[in-house]
Amino acid sequence: MTLPADIQLDAWTGDEVAQATIDDGAASWGAGRGGMPRSQAVLPFAAPADPRDWRSADVGYGILLPDSTDPQVSDAAKAAGEDAAEPVRELLAARPGTVVLRWSPDLPDHLLRRYFAADPPQEPAIGLSEFGTGRGRLPKYVAIIGGPDVIPWSVQYTLGTRHLVGRIPLAGDALAHYVRALLTDWAGAEARTDRAVTWTVDHGPLDITALMRAVIAAPLAARLTPPPLAGFRDVTAAEATGDALMGALAELRPGLLATSSHGRTGPLGDPAGMRAMLGLPVDGTHTTVALRTLCNGIPGGCVWYAQACCSAGAAGESFYAGLLPVGSSALGTVEAVAGLGTMVAPAPLELLGREQPVRAVLGHVEPTFSWTLRVDDTGQGLGGRLVSALSSRLYAGEPLGLTLAEYRADVGELHTRWARLRDTLANGDTSVRETLTRLRVAALDRQSLVLLGDPTIALPPLTTTG
C-alpha cells in the first residue's frame, strides 16, 4: 500500500485549512502504540438479552465515577454512590439497579473497579467481562459523569468499542439541569422530534469538506427526506451560511441537527481565544458561527451531530508527531489544540448544561483526516454506519448509544487488524508499515467520535425511514 502524499484536517485556523504533505517517515509512525488502547484488540460480542433494554440485568446501565480517596467513605457508600453529587444520587434513586463503577488512575486503562457492601471490591476488565449487573460483570450502557479532566477521554475510547458509552461532562447546576431533563424524558422540550435539519459546507473538490459531504452528509440528507419525517431542511454548499442555519433552526425546531464543516481551531497563537471558539462550525464563507448564536438557535431536546474538528473537545496530547511533518499547518494545528489541555468544547458544554438542555451531542475529539474519508482500504463502512445510526436506527426509537454499535464494532476491527499487523512487523515483515499507518490513523480518528450525553436517551419512534 502506498500512502497518499497529501493529508487534510477538517480544521480551520482562521487563516487556512490545516493540511500537510507527508514525508517518508510517516510510514514508520503507524507502528507506534500511542492512543491505541490495549484492550481494543478484543472484538465485541452481542449481549445475551435485547440490547435495547438497558434496564435488563443481563444488559445493564451503569454510571462511572472517579474513585474516592477519602478513607471516611466506606466500600458500601462507594457501591451506592453516596459520595456522588446530588443530581447523580437522584439519578441512582430514579433508576434502581444502576451499577456504580469507579475509575482510578492507579488502575491499568482496561480495568474498572466495583465496590460491594460486604465483599472485597472487584476489578472487571473492559473487553473481557460479560455484560450485566451481576458480580464480575460490566453493564452494557455506561454514562461517564464528569469531563475528561475527571475521567480521561482514553477511558471513554476503551469502553466505546464494546460498550454503549456516553459522557455527561457537567457539574453543579448544569448537571442538575441535564439529569432533570433525562429523568422526565425531556418533557416540555421545544424540539420537534419528527423534524430534522442538515447543514453541509462544501468548499469544493480540493477541500476535505467535499469528502465529508459525499461520505456522510449527502447520504444522510437523502435518508432523512420525508416521509416519515414531518419536516426536513437540507441547507448545503453555497447556501450553508450561519444565517441560513439559524433560519432553518428557527423554522423547524428540529429534533435532529446534523452539521458538516470545518471546526474552528484558531487563532493558533492565542490559547484563550482558541479555547473559547474550539470546534465551532465554520460556514461556507469561512465565518465561524458564534457560540451564543449557535446555542440560542439549537432547541432543547435536540440531538446534534457535529462533524467538525474538535467539535467535542481536545485531548491535551497529540500522537501525530512523525506522521505530520514539522512546519506543516496540520502539525501546527494539532499541537496547538493539544496545548489547550484536555477539555470539552464550549458549545456542547453550554447546550448540555443549560436549563433546557439538548439530549446529546455527537462530536469529534481532535480532527478527522482526509485519508479516512477518501480511501476506505479497511473495508469498514464509516459513512454507511453513521448514516444508518442517525436515520433508520435513531427514528426506530433505539437508544442513541445503541444506534452507534455497528460503528463502534468497526473501530474494534480496526484496532484488531492493527494489532495483528504490528505483530507481523515485529516478526520482520516491513512491507506492512504503510498499512499500519493507515490503520492507526483510521482507528485514532474514528474512536474519537464521542457521545456527550446519556447513552440511553432516545427519540420517539417513527415508521421506518428510507
Side-chain angles (χ1 to χ4, degrees), residues 2 115 186 266 289 380 401 430 455 465:
T2 301
Y115 288 93
W186 274 263
V289 181
Q380 309 304 316
T430 60
T465 59

Side-chain angles (χ1 to χ4, degrees), residues 29-391:
W29 173 87
R33 288 191 177 274
M36 304 291 281
R38 173 176 47 186
S39 65
Q40 299 296 342
V42 179
L43 287 175
F45 54 89
D50 183 348
R52 296 169 296 181
D53 185 10
W54 52 267
R55 295 175 179 84
S56 167
D58 287 328
V59 178
Y61 171 77
I63 61 169
L64 179 59
L65 302 171
D67 204 356
S68 174
T69 58
D70 185 348
Q72 302 301 314
V73 181
S74 67
D75 284 3
K78 292 179 182 180
E82 293 177 8
D83 58 324
E86 176 62 26
V88 176
R89 298 199 301 273
E90 292 178 6
L91 178 62
L92 291 170
R95 292 185 165 185
T98 297
V99 175
V100 178
L101 301 170
R102 301 287 179 155
W103 174 82
S104 174
D106 64 5
L107 289 174
D109 61 7
H110 66 295
L111 298 181
L112 298 177
R113 188 169 286 143
R114 286 191 65 178
Y115 288 93
F116 300 92
D119 297 329
Q122 297 179 344
E123 295 177 353
I126 301 168
L128 295 176
S129 301
E130 294 290 337
F131 295 131
T133 61
R135 293 172 184 268
R137 296 189 174 201
L138 288 174
K140 178 76 169 174
Y141 291 80
V142 179
I144 300 171
I145 308 296
D149 56 325
V150 176
I151 298 176
W153 290 119
S154 59
V155 177
Q156 188 164 359
Y157 299 158
T158 302
L159 278 166
T161 296
R162 187 163 181 260
H163 293 260
L164 310 178
V165 59
R167 179 186 294 268
I168 306 174
L170 305 169
D173 289 344
L175 179 59
H177 294 156
Y178 188 84
V179 170
R180 181 183 65 238
L182 174 65
L183 294 181
T184 60
D185 196 21
W186 274 263
E190 187 181 3
R192 293 283 302 273
T193 56
D194 59 351
R195 299 181 178 186
V197 168
T198 56
W199 181 83
T200 309
V201 174
D202 184 344
H203 291 296
L206 299 181
D207 191 88
I208 188 175
T209 52
L211 293 170
M212 294 158 64
R213 180 185 181 192
V215 171
I216 298 175
L220 177 60
R223 291 288 294 275
L224 294 175
T225 300
L229 293 177
F232 172 66
R233 178 70 57 81
D234 180 26
V235 183
T236 190
E239 298 178 357
T241 64
D243 287 345
L245 173 60
M246 293 305 106
L249 290 171
E251 179 182 349
L252 291 186
R253 312 310 287 160
L256 172 66
L257 168 65
T259 62
S260 178
S261 69
H262 287 295
R264 182 62 185 260
T265 56
L268 299 185
D270 177 7
M274 189 175 177
R275 188 175 290 109
M277 293 189 288
L278 186 68
L280 289 171
V282 177
D283 76 5
T285 67
H286 287 118
T287 300
T288 303
V289 181
L291 175 64
R292 183 55 47 208
T293 300
L294 182 68
C295 291
N296 285 343
I298 299 178
C302 183
V303 173
W304 178 28
Y305 168 57
Q307 186 184 14
C309 178
C310 305
S311 55
E317 58 184 334
S318 174
F319 300 111
Y320 299 109
L323 172 68
L324 305 173
V326 175
S328 67
S329 60
L331 183 62
T333 297
V334 297
E335 289 184 338
V337 170
L340 300 178
T342 186
M343 63 175 286
V344 177
L349 274 181
E350 170 69 20
L351 289 164
L352 291 164
R354 66 190 186 185
E355 287 194 23
Q356 299 296 327
V358 298
R359 280 179 165 84
V361 177
L362 285 168
H364 294 264
V365 182
E366 309 297 332
T368 288
F369 289 85
S370 57
W371 285 359
T372 66
L373 294 169
R374 178 179 290 115
V375 180
D376 198 5
D377 59 281
T378 64
Q380 309 304 316
L382 168 67
R385 302 299 200 205
L386 289 177
V387 169
S388 175
L390 295 172
S391 55

Side-chain angles (χ1 to χ4, degrees), residues 366-422:
E366 309 297 332
T368 288
F369 289 85
S370 57
W371 285 359
T372 66
L373 294 169
R374 178 179 290 115
V375 180
D376 198 5
D377 59 281
T378 64
Q380 309 304 316
L382 168 67
R385 302 299 200 205
L386 289 177
V387 169
S388 175
L390 295 172
S391 55
S392 56
R393 301 192 68 172
L394 181 65
Y395 287 106
E398 287 189 6
L400 186 56
L402 181 60
T403 70
L404 298 167
E406 291 182 350
Y407 176 88
R408 300 296 184 202
D410 285 346
V411 176
E413 175 63 18
L414 287 169
H415 283 287
T416 299
R417 288 193 62 198
W418 173 85
R420 289 171 179 166
L421 281 184
R422 197 175 188 278

